[in-house]
Amino acid sequence: MARPSVIPGIKVRLEEYLDQREAEYLAQADFGCKPTLPLTPDGKVNVRALASAIELTVNQEKYLYERKELTDLINCIAEGQGVLPIGARTNPTAADNAIKERLIRQSKTAREASQAAVEAISAQQELLDRIRALSNELEAAKSETDRLRARLQAVESGVWITVQ
């Protein structure tokens, strides 16, 4: 037999909690009403704190994100209190902009370093080619020198005869 769903029980506890928070919010003076829902530093509903307040287990906490009927209850109260709903994206802050700028600079630096590496490898290859060519020239010059020394030695020893 299938286990009974825990959603109805969670929904009842959530509705009671949200009703209490809404009553507290409405009881505040018209000016300076502060949200009574738990908030994250960036002004969104703090779902973990809310789950803790209604005594959900860690495994049950996910239902507040996943189940539309629960999420809609929370978001309805949140919007009424001027709080960003679950899953809302906030506007980029100065810190976000600073991070983006730093990433752009790092990307540019990485591109420049990559280009410099390609140029260095190309220059290195040119130098290696030049070294090979000079090595070949040196070997040819050594061979020529050895041949000329042998001729000179033959002339000095009188073996070299020139026919005219």
Side-chain angles (χ1 to χ4, degrees):
M1 184 166 136
R3 290 187 345 196
S5 176
V6 296
I7 301 300
I10 293 173
K11 187 174 181 180
V12 168
R13 286 189 281 173
L14 180 61
E15 286 174 341
E16 289 174 8
Y17 177 80
L18 292 175
D19 287 343
Q20 290 171 357
R21 296 293 80 77
E22 185 65 12
E24 290 174 9
Y25 181 77
L26 295 173
Q28 294 178 17
D30 288 337
F31 297 102
C33 288
K34 295 182 182 177
T36 55
L37 290 174
L39 303 176
T40 62
D42 59 350
K44 293 188 283 189
V45 174
N46 187 336
V47 180
R48 290 187 181 235
L50 198 147
S52 177
I54 61 172
E55 299 174 352
L56 294 182
T57 65
V58 174
N59 293 331
Q60 292 173 334
E61 182 180 305
K62 65 182 178 183
Y63 296 130
L64 297 179
Y65 294 101
E66 295 174 352
R67 299 300 294 253
K68 185 165 176 39
E69 63 268 25
L70 301 178
T71 304
D72 287 347
L73 286 172
I74 298 168
N75 287 343
C76 180
I77 300 298
E79 288 173 12
Q81 293 186 9
V83 176
L84 293 172
I86 296 173
R89 299 280 182 207
T90 57
N91 293 332
T93 62
D96 292 337
N97 291 335
I99 290 170
K100 285 180 185 176
E101 288 175 16
R102 189 174 69 212
L103 288 174
I104 290 168
R105 280 194 312 270
Q106 287 175 343
S107 174
K108 183 178 178 183
T109 303
R111 272 194 312 267
E112 290 170 353
S114 176
Q115 181 64 31
V118 168
E119 290 172 4
I121 289 171
S122 177
Q124 181 184 25
Q125 188 61 44
E126 287 178 22
L127 287 174
L128 288 174
D129 291 344
R130 180 74 175 138
I131 289 171
R132 274 191 212 99
L134 289 174
S135 292
N136 290 339
E137 286 181 34
L138 180 61
E139 285 299 319
K142 280 184 181 178
S143 297
E144 180 73 19
T145 303
D146 288 343
R147 233 181 10 262
L148 291 173
R149 277 197 182 131
R151 274 177 130 178
L152 182 61
Q153 208 173 26
V155 169
E156 286 176 352
S157 62
V159 176
W160 187 265
I161 301 174
T162 324
V163 179
Q164 294 202 25

